[in-house]
Amino acid sequence: MQYLAVLGGGSGIEYEILKTNPILEAFGNAKTLRNDNSSRFGKLIEIHFSETGKISGAKIQTFLLEKSRVVQCAEGERSYHIFYQLCAGAPRALREKLNLKDVDEYKYLKQSNCYSITGVNDAEHFHIVKEALDIVHVSKEDQESVFAMLAAVLWLGNVSFTIIDNENHVEAVQDESLINVAKLIGCDAADLNLALSTRKMRVGSDNIVQKLTLSQAVETRDALAKSIYAGLFEWLVEQINKSLAVGKRLTGRSISILDIYGFESFDRNSFEQFCINYANERLQQHFNRHLFKLEQEEYIQDGIDWAKVDFDDNQDCLHLFEKKPLGLLSLLNEESTFPNGTDYTFANKLKQHLNSNPCFKGEREKAFTVSHFAGEVTYDTTGFLEKNRDLLHLDSIQLLSSCSCHLPKAFASNMLNQSEKPVVGPLHKAGGADSQKLSVATKFKGQLFQLMQRLESTTPHFIRCIKPNNFQSPGSYEQGLVLQQLRCCGVLEVVRISRSGYPTRMPHQKFAKRYGFLLLENAASQDSLSVSVAILHQFNILPEMYQVGYTKLFFRTGQIGILEDTRNRTLHGILRVQSCFRGHQACRHFKELQRGIATIQSFVRGDKTRKEYAVLLQRHRAAVIIQKQIKGMNAKKTFKNIRDASIVIQSAIRGWSVRRCSGDIGFKSGVPKADEPDEVLVKSSFLAELQRRVLKAEAALREKEEENDILHQRLLQYENRWSEYELKMKSMEEVWQKQMRSLQSSLSIAKKSLAVDESERSSDASINTSDDREYCWDTGNNLKVPESNGLRPMSAGLSVISRLAEEFEQRSQVFGDDAKFLVEVKSGQVDASLNPDRELRRLKQMFETWKKDYATRLRETKVVLNKLGNEDGALDKVKKKFWGRRNSTRYN
């Protein structure tokens, strides 16, 4: 189911389908002596798929739930898992509401003295079950009702009876158990007591109430418990089917998984083992039909030579069960209808009518033995009739229908709907009869026939589960036990017929289509049968290892593997060639993309660098201007301060000198007075000296002005010369750029010409490898022609041109950077202790030297390529074209 859910997942419903498993296992599985998680019912899960292959829904059908396990467990076994999970994992609020006790306080659970399973946490599994119920959309209220029904079943087992008269009549004890059951199912305790200890019977037109004996009361109590649990199980399956319903999405595409009980044989085998083994006989016949009968019929229909293989058929055993009117099931139903029928009379009737059947053998007392396909099993008829009748009297049904809880009402409604005919029970002798549904055996037989019809209409696949040991321990295999199971399942017969038969078969058309391409000759015009025979002959397959039928080819085990190995190797080789070719294409495409990306990156990085340089240059120029302005402002400020200070000093000195030299003139602030004691006398000699100094200073000032005029004229001349120098630098830079572009275009044309010539020479490379040469530059920048080393001359020439181009690019970048630097030095943008005129002459000399050397190497390269041209005339035109273009752009 997990595998199908992964493949067909996507709609979300597959998760719900997987979550049904914990619910069905909790309510339908139990621990037995041989298996800790034995499925005590059969189930058929039909998974529906949409047109796109997605799971669209599912439906579950169940078969023959073992209800007797609810009220009776063998020593060392457990009842259904859900009882122990509820007692261990229920939260405190739920425990108080249901008045739950420990598992060892319930009689139904403690009679086997087994309460737990090694390595299993019942409390954790209870939470898993609750989550699964949420996922399949069972509401919280319904979940609480489900747990209430489970608790009611447990408390029913604790209901006891007390004898009230000498005739062994009883009534239920009014204790905690009875009160809890009445509360949980929603009825009155008195009504429950009445339903458990009495029975209403109709005699003629009168209704009488009969008291029950102790054994009858216990049977009534257990029947009510089994009916509640069976009704709860069916209700859960119905809710799950509603949640997984397909509805209008039904497309007719489905995969069904049948998970049903296997063959069982215990020390004591009862009615449940009788029905289970009967179902296994039916399924075994279906298995035999598909794997034995139909396979041999296919050999005969296709007209191949085949000796029929005998195998054990179980048809006689099925006749023993199903034959009318003297089959096991017919006699069981017949005896169940008799008022005085008992298990002992049933056993005697079987011995009387079936002793002549080879598959039947009567035993002592109430036992009989059936020879099944898987082996002989002895059945004890004790309880056969009671379990087949599965009686639940009308009093109990009416009690359930009167409950306030909705689940018991639903159980009672289903029981009444299933009632078809009156079945007289053992109490008929007291004048009573109950309306009852079909017997268990009849109902199970009908379900089984419907199941077989469904299996016959589908394509079956069989999974056989082999139990390794009886101790439930890992890594241990009991050879006898495994062999017995293989023999019981009919696997040994399958192996025998497969070895003697032809397990691999394939239609002619499919065989020819699958292996036809392996033929050495083209057989497209032949029919599929001829192609198939040709393939068999080509690969030398022995005639006894295959047979050719009307429509198919039949192979013995292992023969098709030879063809498959050859086919796989051939396809692998084809895939290798395709992968190499695709890899080569991918590499070429990748290299082209890489070159394109590198080119784009170079352009982007260059543009980015130029923009960054322009920004930096602009910032540098702005900084230089700001520095000059700041220096000018500082100089002006300093000059002003010095001038002001000089004026102050000069004014003070002049005033002092005037006052000193004018001896007979006195001054005082205000009106002068001759008789003031502080008058200043100024002598005339000092005044004459002062005048002489003033005249001298004025003469010096005129000399300085004339010198300043001369310097100003020189500055103008220098600026004119600098402008002329800048124009020369710009014109020279333009000439250099033109020359650089001319050289670059010449080198590009040479590259393309050499590449064309190389492609033309590639076809003759294998013939003229001895004449190939490699050209390279030595440390002195001279072109060398070393001895042949297996490389083509044109590739060497192309590498030389590439080196010249790279050198050209580098030199052009260097000269351009130097010229820009000199311009910045001359303009004052860069502070440097250099002589611009001298550096310009030196740069021009270096450029002329390199130009002559570069032209010399180009001429040498031309001579070498002319020599190569004498070996191949086809190259002359390309070289003439290249050197013609080159000569047109040479430097003058």
Side-chain angles (χ1 to χ4, degrees):
M1 289 173 63
Q2 292 176 349
Y3 176 74
L4 294 176
V6 170
L7 288 186
S11 59
I13 198 171
E14 67 277 0
Y15 186 63
E16 295 184 28
I17 296 175
L18 291 177
K19 282 302 179 180
T20 61
N21 195 54
I23 301 174
L24 296 178
E25 282 194 356
F27 285 85
N29 288 23
K31 178 186 183 304
T32 64
L33 295 175
R34 297 183 180 179
N35 190 349
D36 288 344
N37 192 30
S38 177
S39 178
R40 307 317 299 165
F41 71 105
K43 66 178 176 181
L44 177 69
I45 302 180
E46 186 176 5
I47 303 176
H48 296 275
F49 293 84
S50 65
E51 295 179 352
T52 59
K54 301 297 182 181
I55 294 178
S56 59
K59 183 179 180 181
I60 299 175
Q61 182 181 359
T62 60
F63 307 95
L64 193 65
L65 177 69
E66 187 183 7
K67 295 189 291 185
S68 61
R69 183 169 291 272
V70 176
V71 300
Q72 183 179 3
C73 290
E75 185 74 20
E77 296 187 351
R78 291 206 321 177
S79 185
Y80 292 104
H81 295 323
I82 189 62
F83 292 120
Y84 306 90
Q85 295 171 1
L86 176 64
C87 294
R92 176 174 297 180
L94 183 61
R95 295 182 68 88
E96 293 177 355
K97 184 176 181 179
L98 304 181
N99 198 15
L100 282 177
K101 306 293 183 182
D102 294 333
V103 291
D104 56 356
E105 296 187 35
Y106 293 109
K107 293 181 181 179
Y108 281 162
L109 302 182
K110 69 179 182 181
Q111 56 185 331
S112 64
N113 294 323
C114 181
Y115 306 113
S116 62
I117 301 175
T118 305
V120 176
N121 188 337
D122 288 322
E124 182 179 344
H125 280 268
F126 179 74
H127 295 297
I128 294 175
V129 172
K130 287 191 66 177
E131 292 177 1
L133 290 172
D134 291 333
I135 292 173
V136 298
H137 309 296
V138 177
S139 64
K140 295 295 184 182
E141 294 77 8
D142 287 342
Q143 291 184 32
E144 291 184 0
S145 299
V146 169
F147 299 143
M149 293 301 102
L150 294 174
V153 171
L154 294 178
W155 282 115
L156 263 176
N158 286 5
V159 172
S160 57
F161 300 93
T162 179
I163 299 176
I164 59 176
D165 55 25
N166 295 332
E167 296 182 3
N168 204 24
H169 294 151
V170 296
E171 66 178 10
V173 178
Q174 296 285 343
D175 57 2
E176 180 187 22
S177 302
L178 187 70
I179 296 173
N180 285 334
V181 173
K183 177 182 176 182
L184 291 171
I185 65 175
C187 70
D188 188 69
D191 295 337
L192 177 61
N193 186 9
L194 197 64
L196 295 178
S197 58
T198 63
R199 185 168 304 159
K200 294 179 181 179
M201 302 182 64
R202 186 175 183 81
V203 179
S205 59
D206 298 330
N207 292 327
I208 63 173
V209 177
Q210 180 183 6
K211 296 181 180 180
L212 301 180
T213 61
L214 180 61
S215 60
Q216 292 172 342
V218 171
E219 289 177 0
T220 302
R221 178 198 66 187
D222 293 345
L224 180 60
K226 291 188 292 183
S227 298
I228 291 176
Y229 190 81
L232 178 63
F233 186 79
E234 293 177 359
W235 181 85
L236 278 173
V237 173
E238 182 181 353
Q239 298 304 309
I240 292 174
N241 286 335
K242 288 181 180 179
S243 175
L244 305 180
V246 180
K248 296 181 180 180
R249 297 171 291 176
L250 187 63
T251 61
R253 300 177 176 90
S254 66
I255 295 177
S256 299
I257 303 173
L258 177 63
D259 180 12
I260 203 165
Y261 14 66
F263 181 80
E264 291 186 352
S265 178
F266 301 109
D267 294 335
R268 181 181 179 277
N269 300 288
S270 187
F271 179 74
E272 290 80 13
Q273 284 71 41
F274 178 81
C275 294
I276 288 173
N277 292 338
Y278 164 56
N280 273 272
E281 289 292 340
R282 263 289 163 200
L283 293 173
Q284 184 65 44
Q285 188 191 48
H286 182 70
F287 179 75
N288 293 343
R289 172 178 171 78
H290 277 272
L291 293 184
F292 300 139
K293 292 181 180 179
L294 295 182
E295 184 168 357
Q296 297 193 78
E297 290 176 1
E298 184 177 2
Y299 294 159
I300 297 172
Q301 290 175 0
D302 228 64
I304 68 172
D305 295 333
W306 170 253
K308 193 170 183 179
V309 178
D310 295 330
F311 60 91
D312 294 336
D313 194 0
N314 64 339
Q315 189 60 48
D316 292 339
C317 186
L318 284 175
H319 280 312
L320 175 64
F321 275 88
E322 299 172 352
K323 188 178 179 180
K324 294 182 179 181
L326 298 177
L328 288 173
L329 297 178
S330 299
L331 293 175
L332 175 61
N333 290 330
E334 178 183 327
E335 193 67 19
S336 297
T337 59
F338 290 155
N340 297 324
T342 62
D343 298 329
Y344 186 78
T345 59
F346 171 61
N348 289 335
K349 181 176 290 188
L350 294 180
K351 297 172 186 177
Q352 177 183 355
H353 294 285
L354 300 177
N355 264 337
S356 58
N357 193 303
C359 296
F360 178 86
K361 183 170 62 175
E363 302 291 345
R364 295 181 180 179
E365 298 180 352
K366 298 185 291 183
F368 65 94
T369 299
V370 176
S371 180
H372 290 281
F373 181 86
E376 293 186 351
V377 180
T378 301
Y379 299 98
D380 185 356
T381 59
T382 301
F384 260 59
L385 298 184
E386 177 189 352
K387 294 176 181 179
N388 186 48
R389 292 171 180 146
D390 194 22
L391 287 177
L392 183 65
H393 295 284
L394 286 177
D395 295 340
S396 300
I397 297 176
Q398 291 173 356
L399 174 70
L400 294 177
S401 62
S402 64
C403 294
S404 59
C405 183
H406 70 282
L407 284 184
K409 288 183 176 180
F411 304 158
S413 177
N414 290 336
M415 294 174 191
L416 292 175
N417 292 336
Q418 293 175 2
S419 298
E420 285 194 11
K421 62 178 183 179
V423 179
V424 180
L427 292 177
H428 181 76
K429 54 189 177 182
D434 283 343
S435 178
Q436 180 65 20
K437 58 186 177 181
L438 291 173
S439 67
V440 174
T442 302
K443 182 180 177 181
F444 182 64
K445 180 181 177 182
Q447 289 181 327
L448 193 58
F449 270 85
Q450 292 178 1
L451 174 63
M452 299 313 300
Q453 289 177 358
R454 180 177 296 183
L455 294 180
E456 290 291 343
S457 63
T458 58
T459 303
H461 301 270
F462 300 94
I463 300 173
R464 290 297 189 182
C465 300
I466 304 299
K467 186 175 181 180
N469 59 75
N470 285 325
F471 306 104
Q472 303 182 28
S473 59
S476 176
Y477 292 88
E478 297 180 10
Q479 182 177 356
L481 178 63
V482 173
L483 182 61
Q484 178 189 4
Q485 293 177 84
L486 293 175
R487 184 178 290 110
C488 293
C489 295
V491 176
L492 297 182
E493 283 78 5
V494 173
V495 174
R496 183 160 56 90
I497 196 171
S498 297
R499 292 179 62 184
S500 61
Y502 300 91
T504 305
R505 62 208 66 176
M506 192 177 297
H508 299 319
Q509 294 83 357
K510 183 177 179 181
F511 186 83
K513 182 179 179 181
R514 185 171 181 83
Y515 305 106
F517 71 95
L518 299 177
L519 286 176
L520 300 178
E521 299 178 357
N522 187 12
S525 60
Q526 300 181 15
D527 62 298
S528 57
L529 179 59
S530 302
V531 174
S532 301
V533 174
I535 294 171
L536 297 174
H537 290 165
Q538 177 176 316
F539 287 92
N540 296 324
I541 298 179
L542 300 177
E544 60 269 18
M545 303 308 293
Y546 71 91
Q547 289 207 34
V548 180
Y550 299 141
T551 60
K552 298 178 183 177
L553 289 172
F554 295 84
F555 295 92
R556 293 195 184 275
T557 304
Q559 297 307 306
I560 203 70
I562 301 173
L563 297 175
E564 280 294 320
D565 292 341
T566 305
R567 179 178 181 272
N568 292 336
R569 287 196 302 269
T570 304
L571 292 177
H572 182 69
I574 294 172
L575 291 177
R576 289 281 295 178
V577 173
Q578 290 178 346
S579 65
C580 292
F581 178 71
R582 289 170 181 164
H584 174 68
Q585 283 187 323
C587 288
R588 288 183 57 188
H589 182 62
F590 173 75
K591 289 180 179 178
E592 291 177 359
L593 289 178
Q594 196 175 35
R595 287 194 294 269
I597 291 171
T599 303
I600 294 173
Q601 287 178 343
S602 66
F603 282 118
V604 173
R605 289 170 181 166
D607 182 68
K608 182 180 179 182
T609 304
R610 284 189 290 272
K611 289 181 179 178
E612 291 177 353
Y613 175 75
V615 173
L616 291 176
L617 184 61
Q618 186 178 3
R619 291 178 181 175
H620 176 71
R621 290 175 177 173
V624 170
I625 293 173
I626 292 172
Q627 287 177 356
K628 288 182 177 181
Q629 292 177 352
I630 292 173
K631 289 179 180 179
M633 293 174 63
N634 291 335
K636 289 180 179 180
K637 188 175 181 181
T638 304
F639 174 75
K640 184 178 180 182
N641 293 334
I642 294 174
R643 189 185 65 179
D644 293 342
S646 300
I647 292 173
V648 171
I649 294 172
Q650 287 177 357
S651 64
I653 292 174
R654 288 172 181 171
W656 177 77
S657 298
V658 170
R659 285 189 296 273
R660 184 178 178 184
C661 294
S662 305
D664 46 347
I665 299 176
F667 294 93
K668 193 175 183 181
S669 51
V671 181
K673 295 181 178 180
D675 54 352
E676 289 289 336
D678 54 349
E679 64 181 4
V680 180
L681 297 180
V682 180
K683 293 181 177 181
S684 60
S685 59
F686 293 133
L687 182 61
E689 180 68 17
L690 181 59
Q691 291 176 350
R692 186 181 60 81
R693 290 182 180 179
V694 169
L695 293 174
K696 186 177 180 180
E698 289 178 351
L701 179 61
R702 283 194 296 271
E703 291 178 358
K704 292 294 184 181
E705 288 179 352
E706 291 176 358
E707 185 180 353
N708 189 21
D709 292 338
I710 294 171
L711 292 175
H712 182 67
Q713 292 176 0
R714 288 183 181 179
L715 179 61
L716 292 177
Q717 293 175 0
Y718 183 77
E719 288 179 351
N720 293 331
R721 290 175 60 189
W722 173 245
S723 301
E724 294 175 358
Y725 179 77
E726 282 185 341
L727 293 175
K728 289 181 181 180
M729 289 291 293
K730 290 181 180 179
S731 62
M732 185 177 294
E733 185 177 1
E734 291 176 355
V735 172
W736 286 351
Q737 289 178 355
K738 291 179 181 179
Q739 293 175 352
M740 294 296 181
R741 286 194 294 270
S742 176
L743 282 175
Q744 189 172 8
S745 62
S746 299
L747 290 174
S748 300
I749 294 170
K751 279 185 181 181
K752 293 180 180 179
S753 301
L754 289 175
V756 172
D757 183 70
E758 183 181 6
S759 63
E760 292 176 355
R761 281 174 168 266
S762 60
S763 61
D764 300 328
S766 60
I767 302 175
N768 299 321
T769 53
S770 61
D771 297 330
D772 293 346
R773 296 178 181 178
E774 179 183 357
Y775 299 92
C776 62
W777 292 97
D778 60 3
T779 57
N781 292 329
N782 296 322
L783 191 63
K784 280 187 164 185
V785 185
E787 293 180 2
S788 174
N789 58 355
L791 299 175
R792 293 194 297 270
M794 296 309 298
S795 299
L798 184 59
S799 65
V800 171
I801 296 300
S802 299
R803 292 191 187 97
L804 288 175
E806 292 175 358
E807 183 180 355
F808 175 80
E809 294 293 339
Q810 294 175 359
R811 287 291 185 176
S812 63
Q813 183 68 30
V814 170
F815 286 131
D817 294 342
D818 291 342
K820 290 181 180 179
F821 178 76
L822 288 178
V823 171
E824 293 176 356
V825 171
K826 191 68 177 179
S827 63
Q829 297 177 2
V830 177
D831 295 329
S833 59
L834 297 175
N835 189 343
D837 297 333
R838 185 175 65 253
E839 292 298 324
L840 179 62
R841 287 193 296 271
R842 187 181 64 81
L843 179 61
K844 185 175 181 180
Q845 184 179 2
M846 288 175 59
F847 177 78
E848 293 296 335
T849 303
W850 172 78
K851 185 175 71 173
K852 291 178 182 179
D853 180 67
Y854 191 80
T856 302
R857 281 184 283 159
L858 281 176
R859 286 193 295 272
E860 291 176 356
T861 304
K862 177 181 178 182
V863 172
V864 174
L865 293 177
N866 283 332
K867 291 180 181 180
L868 294 176
N870 294 332
E871 297 173 2
D872 188 356
L875 184 62
D876 291 337
K877 295 180 179 180
V878 178
K879 288 193 285 187
K880 287 178 180 178
K881 185 185 297 183
F882 163 69
W883 291 112
R885 294 177 182 173
R886 186 248 177 265
N887 292 331
S888 65
T889 57
R890 290 186 60 187
Y891 304 120
N892 295 323

